[in-house]
Amino acid sequence: MSSRFGKEVSAFSLEGKFLRFELEDGYKRKYLQVGTLEGEYRVKLPKYLRSPMELNLNLGDVVQIFGERKFDYKKIRSN
């Protein structure tokens, strides 16, 4: 885990069933929705995987995802 200028980056891994793609502008794959025992997660796809030719998934396919989660402390405002 690293922290730099109010931002924290940590590694994560997630395994679950593919639920659907979320589209941007009505046709661009931007996010992947995955269902796990803990709930549903929305994962932003890297640009090289957004092409329909690069990622073929069917509803219910088991997926395993590794990546980095970024958290920006500056976006939190106290009341």
Side-chain angles (χ1 to χ4, degrees):
M1 183 170 22
S2 67
S3 180
R4 197 172 153 201
F5 305 110
K7 293 183 182 179
E8 186 175 295
V9 178
S10 60
F12 76 93
S13 90
L14 177 68
E15 185 172 338
K17 291 187 178 184
F18 169 71
L19 299 176
R20 68 184 184 106
F21 289 108
E22 287 187 31
L23 304 178
E24 181 179 76
D25 298 332
Y27 68 96
K28 296 181 209 171
R29 291 178 177 177
K30 181 94 175 200
Y31 297 96
L32 181 76
Q33 273 208 320
V34 178
T36 68
L37 293 175
E38 292 83 31
E40 292 183 8
Y41 294 90
R42 180 180 183 221
V43 180
K44 186 174 182 182
L45 292 169
K47 287 185 179 179
Y48 69 91
L49 286 177
R50 293 181 190 175
S51 165
M53 303 292 269
E54 293 299 323
L55 198 57
N56 261 336
L57 292 172
N58 296 312
L59 184 63
D61 283 351
V62 176
V63 294
Q64 192 171 26
I65 300 168
F66 299 93
E68 291 182 340
R69 176 178 22 204
K70 297 176 186 174
F71 185 77
D72 189 351
Y73 289 104
K74 293 177 186 177
K75 292 186 180 180
I76 297 177
R77 297 181 187 193
S78 59
N79 295 330

